Amino acid sequence: MTEHVRLFSYGTLQLEQEQWETFGRKLEGNGDALLGFKQTLLEITDPEVLKISGERFHPIVVASSDPTDTVAGTVFWITPEELRAADRYEVSDYQRVAAGLVSGGRAWVYVRA
């Protein structure tokens, strides 16, 4: 049986086109929300990411001073290999951290570096 990890997405990785480009498949996921973060926008300049997403501004989250702040998104179960693919997809403005979810679980999420 393949090991899986949880990845929380609040942005472009929720888009089917992004999933096919990044993981080679459409992901299945469940709605959830990230605890203690707030969302803003980041201008993307990486030509490869711009080509895939077609979006100049991508959402990004930062830790909030209010622990009750939430950011809505989707939790996906992916393989460790797919997590490494997500690491390669994200530009250096993002870093992967483990964070708490409203559902009570934890998942990897990309936040402002």
Side-chain angles (χ1 to χ4, degrees):
M1 186 171 174
T2 304
E3 175 189 356
H4 285 88
V5 296
R6 291 165 51 129
L7 176 65
F8 179 82
S9 174
Y10 53 87
T12 58
L13 285 177
Q14 294 178 93
L15 302 173
E16 187 173 339
Q17 174 188 336
E18 297 287 320
Q19 294 170 12
W20 279 104
E21 293 284 339
T22 306
F23 307 111
R25 69 181 180 101
K26 181 183 182 310
L27 303 179
E28 298 295 325
N30 297 314
D32 209 329
L34 189 61
L35 274 174
F37 287 84
K38 59 185 176 181
Q39 185 172 309
T40 186
L41 291 175
L42 171 73
E43 183 174 7
I44 299 298
T45 57
D46 182 295
E48 188 61 27
V49 175
L50 287 168
K51 182 180 131 191
I52 293 170
S53 75
E55 299 289 332
R56 187 169 142 215
F57 291 93
H58 287 201
I60 193 165
V61 297
V62 294
S64 173
S65 59
D66 182 347
T68 65
D69 278 346
T70 61
V71 176
T74 306
V75 175
F76 298 107
W77 286 95
I78 63 172
T79 67
E81 181 180 303
E82 289 171 329
L83 186 60
R84 288 187 292 279
D87 286 343
R88 289 187 299 273
Y89 168 80
E90 296 296 353
V91 295
S92 62
D93 297 296
Y94 293 84
Q95 67 178 351
R96 179 167 45 95
V97 300
L101 303 170
V102 169
S103 66
R106 293 183 68 74
W108 291 112
V109 62
Y110 293 94
V111 302
R112 183 181 290 277

